[in-house]
Amino acid sequence: MASVYVTEYATMGREWAGGGQIPSAQEPAIAQQKVAIGGGSVQSSAFNGATRVVRIHTDAICSIAFGPDPTASSSTKRLAANTT
């Protein structure tokens, strides 16, 4: 079965020397979800209140949407198979 893996992070990483942000979430993650996907829209669990950054990985072609009650469709953000 195809899945989307959602990893939630509270902060971005920091550069050692300058202290600026780098394009990487700071480990450890605060929550992780695996969402089975198929022909219809499926919602993940609500994000943790401390979540500021999410990492999405999919093992199949899919569309994603964010919001209070999102419905993914062919007109929302699309991810290719085996991408993050």
Side-chain angles (χ1 to χ4, degrees), residues 2-84:
S3 299
V4 171
Y5 302 84
V6 180
T7 308
E8 303 173 45
Y9 297 93
T11 59
M12 293 294 288
R14 294 275 179 194
E15 179 183 2
W16 284 103
Q21 288 188 336
I22 58 174
S24 176
Q26 185 169 333
E27 294 285 355
I30 57 173
Q32 297 181 51
Q33 302 180 48
K34 179 180 178 182
V35 181
I37 57 173
S41 183
V42 178
Q43 292 185 5
S44 69
S45 298
F47 291 161
N48 182 300
T51 297
R52 298 295 176 264
V53 180
V54 293
R55 176 185 184 270
I56 309 291
H57 179 81
T58 180
D59 56 19
I61 296 170
C62 69
S63 296
I64 62 171
F66 291 87
D69 188 21
T71 299
S73 70
S74 60
S75 63
T76 58
K77 297 171 190 73
R78 182 180 180 274
L79 297 174
N82 299 312
T83 60
T84 302

